[in-house]
Structures are given as structure tokens and as C-alpha cells.
């Protein structure tokens, strides 16, 4: 509902109807629309991170690094161009002024965690002698994802 209609355009009545539940039931789980919005955004981000995490960890074990990096870049690009992910990112950006804490948490749970894991992976690859990254954090920041 939020990605289709935006925060302002989404009512708790519409959410309840889409969920096949009563408005009262929705309010038993979420105190208000802002809490529901935060939950939807952050749960989606967490699922995205869990999608990327195994692939990044697998990258650390690669023997053919060039192929593994290309495959990882393709997977990352495909995931980032996913319609649902694009809509969510646009929604969070559009509502960042109204909900700065949600915007910060979105960034930390998505890019922050992913870049940290990627830096750890680059450090492991450097230790294995497959990559030369004296600054894994910077290399992760400069990578496609």
C-alpha cells in the first residue's frame, strides 16, 4: 500500500482491507500508521540484507575472483533494479524529511550493513592473496554494492 500510494495516500482502513483484517486488528499490532510504515520499510530492508548476505560471504570463498565479482555485480544490479526495491527506496527518500529516524535506520540496515560485510569480505580476499585492498572499507564503499 505504501509503495503504491505513498505514506500520505495510505490509510489504515485501506491497509486493513488489503490485509483482510479489521482496522482494530491492525491497531493491535501497530500503534499508528508511522509505526506500521517503519515496520514495513525496515522489515523489507532486513529481507534484502538477508538476500545479499550469503552471496557476499560466498564471494569471500571464491577461487575465481574475477568471475565471482562479475556474478556478484550482476546479482547486485538485478536486485537493486527490482521494482519493489526501487519503489521502497523512492518512498523512503520522499518521506525522509518527515521521518528522518526511519531514513537513517533504512540507510544503516541496507547500505551500512552491506558495506561492512563487503569490507570484511575484501579483507578476507586480501588475506588470501586474491585481492590487494589496503583499505577494505574504502574499497567496499567504491564497489557497486
Amino acid at each position: 500500500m505504501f509503495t503504491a500510494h505513498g505514506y500520505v495516500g495510505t490509510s489504515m482502513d485501506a491497509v486493513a482491507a488489503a490485509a483482510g483484517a479489521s482496522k482494530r486488528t491492525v491497531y493491535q499490532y501497530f500503534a499508528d500508521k508511522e509505526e506500521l510504515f517503519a515496520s514495513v520499510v525496515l522489515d523489507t530492508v532486513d529481507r534484502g540484507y538477508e538476500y545479499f548476505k550469503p552471496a557476499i560471504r560466498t564471494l569471500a570463498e571464491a577461487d575465481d575472483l574475477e568471475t565471482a565479482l562479475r556474478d556478484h555485480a550482476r546479482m547486485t544490479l538485478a536486485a537493486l533494479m527490482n521494482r519493489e526495491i526501487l519503489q521502497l527506496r523512492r518512498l523512503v527518500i520522499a518521506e525522509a524529511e518527515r521521518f528522518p529516524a526511519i531514513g537513517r535506520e533504512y540507510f544503516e540496515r541496507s547500505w551500512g550493513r552491506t558495506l561492512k560485510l563487503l569490507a570484511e569480505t575484501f579483507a578476507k580476499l586480501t588475506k588470501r592473496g586474491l585481492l590487494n585492498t589496503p583499505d577494505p572499507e574504502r574499497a567496499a564503499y567504491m564497489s557497486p554494492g
Side-chain angles (χ1 to χ4, degrees):
M1 295 299 296
F2 287 120
T3 56
H5 304 288
Y7 179 82
V8 173
T10 299
S11 70
M12 293 299 269
D13 288 325
V15 168
S22 70
K23 192 170 159 181
R24 181 179 176 166
T25 300
V26 174
Y27 277 112
Q28 286 177 340
Y29 292 95
F30 304 99
D32 55 25
K33 186 165 81 166
E34 182 179 345
E35 184 179 316
L36 174 62
F37 177 67
S39 180
V40 167
V41 167
L42 300 177
D43 286 350
T44 302
V45 167
D46 287 344
R47 284 194 322 272
Y49 176 73
E50 292 302 320
Y51 172 81
F52 279 104
K53 189 167 55 172
I56 294 171
R57 286 196 170 141
T58 299
L59 185 61
E61 306 304 321
D63 291 321
D64 180 357
L65 186 57
E66 186 175 336
T67 299
L69 285 170
R70 277 196 190 112
D71 291 347
H72 179 72
R74 284 186 192 103
M75 185 227 26
T76 299
L77 183 60
L80 292 176
M81 297 308 292
N82 173 283
R83 189 174 68 83
E84 179 186 2
I85 299 299
L86 286 171
Q87 288 175 328
L88 180 69
R89 190 176 314 119
R90 288 180 185 133
L91 178 63
V92 171
I93 291 167
E95 297 298 340
E97 190 171 319
R98 182 191 322 256
F99 305 114
I102 295 171
R104 282 189 299 276
E105 189 70 16
Y106 169 87
F107 178 83
E108 184 51 41
R109 287 188 185 194
S110 61
W111 294 109
R113 286 192 300 187
T114 301
L115 292 175
K116 182 177 186 248
L117 186 57
L118 199 54
E120 292 168 4
T121 296
F122 288 167
K124 288 177 185 175
L125 289 165
T126 297
K127 189 174 184 175
R128 291 180 56 209
L130 295 175
L131 199 61
N132 180 12
T133 51
D135 187 347
E137 288 80 19
R138 182 177 172 153
Y141 181 78
M142 300 301 286
S143 75

mmCIF file of all heavy atoms in Angstrom, residues 2-32:
data_model
loop_
_atom_site.group_PDB
_atom_site.id
_atom_site.type_symbol
_atom_site.label_atom_id
_atom_site.label_comp_id
_atom_site.label_asym_id
_atom_site.label_seq_id
_atom_site.Cartn_x
_atom_site.Cartn_y
_atom_site.Cartn_z
ATOM 1 N N PHE A 2 1.906 1.262 0.846
ATOM 2 C CA PHE A 2 2.753 2.454 0.938
ATOM 3 C C PHE A 2 3.497 2.717 -0.370
ATOM 4 O O PHE A 2 3.582 3.860 -0.804
ATOM 5 C CB PHE A 2 3.755 2.331 2.087
ATOM 6 C CG PHE A 2 3.144 2.462 3.454
ATOM 7 C CD1 PHE A 2 3.230 1.423 4.372
ATOM 8 C CD2 PHE A 2 2.486 3.617 3.841
ATOM 9 C CE1 PHE A 2 2.679 1.536 5.636
ATOM 10 C CE2 PHE A 2 1.921 3.746 5.099
ATOM 11 C CZ PHE A 2 2.015 2.698 6.004
ATOM 12 N N THR A 3 4.038 1.673 -0.987
ATOM 13 C CA THR A 3 4.787 1.909 -2.221
ATOM 14 C C THR A 3 3.863 2.299 -3.369
ATOM 15 O O THR A 3 4.262 3.039 -4.259
ATOM 16 C CB THR A 3 5.637 0.687 -2.623
ATOM 17 O OG1 THR A 3 4.798 -0.451 -2.746
ATOM 18 C CG2 THR A 3 6.743 0.432 -1.624
ATOM 19 N N ALA A 4 2.640 1.839 -3.329
ATOM 20 C CA ALA A 4 1.690 2.177 -4.392
ATOM 21 C C ALA A 4 1.073 3.552 -4.211
ATOM 22 O O ALA A 4 0.828 4.265 -5.177
ATOM 23 C CB ALA A 4 0.587 1.122 -4.459
ATOM 24 N N HIS A 5 0.827 3.952 -2.941
ATOM 25 C CA HIS A 5 0.072 5.173 -2.688
ATOM 26 C C HIS A 5 0.826 6.220 -1.868
ATOM 27 O O HIS A 5 0.283 7.290 -1.598
ATOM 28 C CB HIS A 5 -1.241 4.839 -1.968
ATOM 29 C CG HIS A 5 -2.074 3.856 -2.720
ATOM 30 N ND1 HIS A 5 -2.748 4.160 -3.871
ATOM 31 C CD2 HIS A 5 -2.307 2.533 -2.491
ATOM 32 C CE1 HIS A 5 -3.382 3.086 -4.328
ATOM 33 N NE2 HIS A 5 -3.122 2.080 -3.508
ATOM 34 N N GLY A 6 2.045 5.894 -1.445
ATOM 35 C CA GLY A 6 2.793 6.824 -0.605
ATOM 36 C C GLY A 6 2.300 6.781 0.823
ATOM 37 O O GLY A 6 1.276 6.159 1.130
ATOM 38 N N TYR A 7 3.034 7.448 1.690
ATOM 39 C CA TYR A 7 2.653 7.469 3.108
ATOM 40 C C TYR A 7 1.332 8.195 3.298
ATOM 41 O O TYR A 7 0.400 7.679 3.909
ATOM 42 C CB TYR A 7 3.754 8.124 3.952
ATOM 43 C CG TYR A 7 3.394 8.177 5.416
ATOM 44 C CD1 TYR A 7 3.589 7.070 6.219
ATOM 45 C CD2 TYR A 7 2.838 9.322 5.987
ATOM 46 C CE1 TYR A 7 3.241 7.088 7.563
ATOM 47 C CE2 TYR A 7 2.489 9.362 7.321
ATOM 48 C CZ TYR A 7 2.691 8.245 8.113
ATOM 49 O OH TYR A 7 2.341 8.268 9.442
ATOM 50 N N VAL A 8 1.241 9.401 2.755
ATOM 51 C CA VAL A 8 0.045 10.226 2.945
ATOM 52 C C VAL A 8 -1.173 9.574 2.307
ATOM 53 O O VAL A 8 -2.271 9.611 2.868
ATOM 54 C CB VAL A 8 0.274 11.655 2.391
ATOM 55 C CG1 VAL A 8 -1.007 12.469 2.411
ATOM 56 C CG2 VAL A 8 1.362 12.361 3.176
ATOM 57 N N GLY A 9 -0.990 8.937 1.160
ATOM 58 C CA GLY A 9 -2.102 8.335 0.434
ATOM 59 C C GLY A 9 -2.549 6.983 0.959
ATOM 60 O O GLY A 9 -3.491 6.398 0.422
ATOM 61 N N THR A 10 -1.883 6.480 1.986
ATOM 62 C CA THR A 10 -2.247 5.179 2.557
ATOM 63 C C THR A 10 -2.978 5.390 3.871
ATOM 64 O O THR A 10 -2.478 6.052 4.769
ATOM 65 C CB THR A 10 -0.979 4.323 2.796
ATOM 66 O OG1 THR A 10 -0.334 4.112 1.548
ATOM 67 C CG2 THR A 10 -1.331 2.988 3.425
ATOM 68 N N SER A 11 -4.159 4.815 3.956
ATOM 69 C CA SER A 11 -4.927 4.910 5.202
ATOM 70 C C SER A 11 -4.877 3.567 5.915
ATOM 71 O O SER A 11 -4.676 2.519 5.304
ATOM 72 C CB SER A 11 -6.378 5.285 4.909
ATOM 73 O OG SER A 11 -7.032 4.192 4.277
ATOM 74 N N MET A 12 -5.096 3.620 7.202
ATOM 75 C CA MET A 12 -5.152 2.377 7.970
ATOM 76 C C MET A 12 -6.358 1.546 7.544
ATOM 77 O O MET A 12 -6.306 0.319 7.595
ATOM 78 C CB MET A 12 -5.166 2.673 9.468
ATOM 79 C CG MET A 12 -3.861 3.283 9.978
ATOM 80 S SD MET A 12 -2.435 2.216 9.740
ATOM 81 C CE MET A 12 -2.450 1.337 11.302
ATOM 82 N N ASP A 13 -7.432 2.197 7.113
ATOM 83 C CA ASP A 13 -8.592 1.467 6.590
ATOM 84 C C ASP A 13 -8.200 0.663 5.353
ATOM 85 O O ASP A 13 -8.568 -0.505 5.215
ATOM 86 C CB ASP A 13 -9.731 2.429 6.232
ATOM 87 C CG ASP A 13 -10.423 3.015 7.449
ATOM 88 O OD1 ASP A 13 -10.552 2.291 8.462
ATOM 89 O OD2 ASP A 13 -10.832 4.191 7.391
ATOM 90 N N ALA A 14 -7.450 1.290 4.454
ATOM 91 C CA ALA A 14 -7.014 0.605 3.231
ATOM 92 C C ALA A 14 -6.060 -0.534 3.554
ATOM 93 O O ALA A 14 -6.126 -1.600 2.932
ATOM 94 C CB ALA A 14 -6.354 1.605 2.281
ATOM 95 N N VAL A 15 -5.173 -0.332 4.517
ATOM 96 C CA VAL A 15 -4.246 -1.390 4.933
ATOM 97 C C VAL A 15 -5.037 -2.575 5.482
ATOM 98 O O VAL A 15 -4.778 -3.732 5.129
ATOM 99 C CB VAL A 15 -3.233 -0.871 5.982
ATOM 100 C CG1 VAL A 15 -2.463 -2.016 6.618
ATOM 101 C CG2 VAL A 15 -2.284 0.142 5.352
ATOM 102 N N ALA A 16 -5.997 -2.287 6.339
ATOM 103 C CA ALA A 16 -6.811 -3.352 6.925
ATOM 104 C C ALA A 16 -7.563 -4.113 5.833
ATOM 105 O O ALA A 16 -7.588 -5.352 5.833
ATOM 106 C CB ALA A 16 -7.780 -2.772 7.944
ATOM 107 N N ALA A 17 -8.139 -3.392 4.890
ATOM 108 C CA ALA A 17 -8.881 -4.039 3.807
ATOM 109 C C ALA A 17 -7.955 -4.913 2.959
ATOM 110 O O ALA A 17 -8.305 -6.050 2.620
ATOM 111 C CB ALA A 17 -9.565 -2.983 2.939
ATOM 112 N N ALA A 18 -6.777 -4.400 2.632
ATOM 113 C CA ALA A 18 -5.825 -5.175 1.828
ATOM 114 C C ALA A 18 -5.342 -6.418 2.565
ATOM 115 O O ALA A 18 -5.066 -7.449 1.952
ATOM 116 C CB ALA A 18 -4.634 -4.300 1.443
ATOM 117 N N ALA A 19 -5.254 -6.324 3.878
ATOM 118 C CA ALA A 19 -4.805 -7.455 4.692
ATOM 119 C C ALA A 19 -5.945 -8.421 5.006
ATOM 120 O O ALA A 19 -5.704 -9.499 5.564
ATOM 121 C CB ALA A 19 -4.187 -6.946 5.995
ATOM 122 N N GLY A 20 -7.161 -8.041 4.675
ATOM 123 C CA GLY A 20 -8.308 -8.877 5.005
ATOM 124 C C GLY A 20 -8.549 -8.944 6.497
ATOM 125 O O GLY A 20 -8.977 -9.967 7.028
ATOM 126 N N ALA A 21 -8.250 -7.831 7.156
ATOM 127 C CA ALA A 21 -8.389 -7.770 8.614
ATOM 128 C C ALA A 21 -9.203 -6.536 8.971
ATOM 129 O O ALA A 21 -9.455 -5.668 8.140
ATOM 130 C CB ALA A 21 -7.014 -7.683 9.264
ATOM 131 N N SER A 22 -9.594 -6.475 10.218
ATOM 132 C CA SER A 22 -10.290 -5.278 10.676
ATOM 133 C C SER A 22 -9.245 -4.218 11.040
ATOM 134 O O SER A 22 -8.090 -4.530 11.327
ATOM 135 C CB SER A 22 -11.160 -5.586 11.890
ATOM 136 O OG SER A 22 -10.344 -5.842 13.025
ATOM 137 N N LYS A 23 -9.683 -2.984 11.037
ATOM 138 C CA LYS A 23 -8.798 -1.889 11.444
ATOM 139 C C LYS A 23 -8.341 -2.099 12.889
ATOM 140 O O LYS A 23 -7.184 -1.848 13.229
ATOM 141 C CB LYS A 23 -9.543 -0.556 11.274
ATOM 142 C CG LYS A 23 -8.680 0.664 11.392
ATOM 143 C CD LYS A 23 -9.498 1.880 10.948
ATOM 144 C CE LYS A 23 -8.944 3.154 11.475
ATOM 145 N NZ LYS A 23 -9.733 4.300 11.059
ATOM 146 N N ARG A 24 -9.244 -2.594 13.695
ATOM 147 C CA ARG A 24 -8.909 -2.866 15.098
ATOM 148 C C ARG A 24 -7.763 -3.884 15.202
ATOM 149 O O ARG A 24 -6.871 -3.749 16.026
ATOM 150 C CB ARG A 24 -10.152 -3.368 15.825
ATOM 151 C CG ARG A 24 -9.920 -3.662 17.273
ATOM 152 C CD ARG A 24 -11.177 -4.135 17.936
ATOM 153 N NE ARG A 24 -10.884 -4.494 19.307
ATOM 154 C CZ ARG A 24 -11.781 -4.689 20.215
ATOM 155 N NH1 ARG A 24 -13.047 -4.564 19.925
ATOM 156 N NH2 ARG A 24 -11.426 -5.017 21.429
ATOM 157 N N THR A 25 -7.807 -4.915 14.365
ATOM 158 C CA THR A 25 -6.748 -5.929 14.362
ATOM 159 C C THR A 25 -5.407 -5.300 13.984
ATOM 160 O O THR A 25 -4.375 -5.586 14.609
ATOM 161 C CB THR A 25 -7.086 -7.081 13.387
ATOM 162 O OG1 THR A 25 -8.313 -7.673 13.802
ATOM 163 C CG2 THR A 25 -5.981 -8.111 13.347
ATOM 164 N N VAL A 26 -5.409 -4.440 12.981
ATOM 165 C CA VAL A 26 -4.170 -3.769 12.569
ATOM 166 C C VAL A 26 -3.616 -2.954 13.737
ATOM 167 O O VAL A 26 -2.413 -3.006 14.026
ATOM 168 C CB VAL A 26 -4.399 -2.873 11.330
ATOM 169 C CG1 VAL A 26 -3.139 -2.065 11.004
ATOM 170 C CG2 VAL A 26 -4.819 -3.719 10.129
ATOM 171 N N TYR A 27 -4.491 -2.256 14.436
ATOM 172 C CA TYR A 27 -4.047 -1.439 15.574
ATOM 173 C C TYR A 27 -3.589 -2.285 16.769
ATOM 174 O O TYR A 27 -2.883 -1.790 17.640
ATOM 175 C CB TYR A 27 -5.133 -0.452 16.000
ATOM 176 C CG TYR A 27 -5.134 0.795 15.160
ATOM 177 C CD1 TYR A 27 -6.175 1.086 14.293
ATOM 178 C CD2 TYR A 27 -4.069 1.705 15.226
ATOM 179 C CE1 TYR A 27 -6.175 2.232 13.516
ATOM 180 C CE2 TYR A 27 -4.062 2.849 14.449
ATOM 181 C CZ TYR A 27 -5.110 3.113 13.597
ATOM 182 O OH TYR A 27 -5.099 4.250 12.833
ATOM 183 N N GLN A 28 -3.955 -3.553 16.806
ATOM 184 C CA GLN A 28 -3.432 -4.424 17.861
ATOM 185 C C GLN A 28 -1.946 -4.697 17.649
ATOM 186 O O GLN A 28 -1.218 -4.944 18.603
ATOM 187 C CB GLN A 28 -4.204 -5.746 17.908
ATOM 188 C CG GLN A 28 -5.580 -5.608 18.490
ATOM 189 C CD GLN A 28 -6.353 -6.924 18.461
ATOM 190 O OE1 GLN A 28 -6.034 -7.832 17.716
ATOM 191 N NE2 GLN A 28 -7.384 -7.006 19.286
ATOM 192 N N TYR A 29 -1.499 -4.632 16.394
ATOM 193 C CA TYR A 29 -0.094 -4.897 16.064
ATOM 194 C C TYR A 29 0.738 -3.625 15.928
ATOM 195 O O TYR A 29 1.944 -3.644 16.168
ATOM 196 C CB TYR A 29 0.004 -5.706 14.765
ATOM 197 C CG TYR A 29 -0.520 -7.106 14.923
ATOM 198 C CD1 TYR A 29 -1.833 -7.431 14.594
ATOM 199 C CD2 TYR A 29 0.293 -8.107 15.432
ATOM 200 C CE1 TYR A 29 -2.317 -8.716 14.744
ATOM 201 C CE2 TYR A 29 -0.182 -9.404 15.591
ATOM 202 C CZ TYR A 29 -1.488 -9.698 15.246
ATOM 203 O OH TYR A 29 -1.956 -10.972 15.410
ATOM 204 N N PHE A 30 0.102 -2.542 15.526
ATOM 205 C CA PHE A 30 0.808 -1.284 15.276
ATOM 206 C C PHE A 30 0.055 -0.137 15.940
ATOM 207 O O PHE A 30 -1.138 0.028 15.718
ATOM 208 C CB PHE A 30 0.935 -1.024 13.775
ATOM 209 C CG PHE A 30 1.609 -2.158 13.052
ATOM 210 C CD1 PHE A 30 0.853 -3.100 12.372
ATOM 211 C CD2 PHE A 30 2.989 -2.286 13.066
ATOM 212 C CE1 PHE A 30 1.471 -4.165 11.719
ATOM 213 C CE2 PHE A 30 3.614 -3.338 12.411
ATOM 214 C CZ PHE A 30 2.850 -4.282 11.735
ATOM 215 N N ALA A 31 0.760 0.656 16.720
ATOM 216 C CA ALA A 31 0.131 1.750 17.464
ATOM 217 C C ALA A 31 -0.458 2.808 16.530
ATOM 218 O O ALA A 31 -1.500 3.385 16.820
ATOM 219 C CB ALA A 31 1.140 2.400 18.406
ATOM 220 N N ASP A 32 0.210 3.042 15.405
ATOM 221 C CA ASP A 32 -0.250 4.056 14.468
ATOM 222 C C ASP A 32 0.354 3.809 13.092
ATOM 223 O O ASP A 32 1.129 2.870 12.892
ATOM 224 C CB ASP A 32 0.085 5.469 14.974
ATOM 225 C CG ASP A 32 1.563 5.654 15.282
ATOM 226 O OD1 ASP A 32 2.409 4.945 14.712
ATOM 227 O OD2 ASP A 32 1.883 6.522 16.125
#
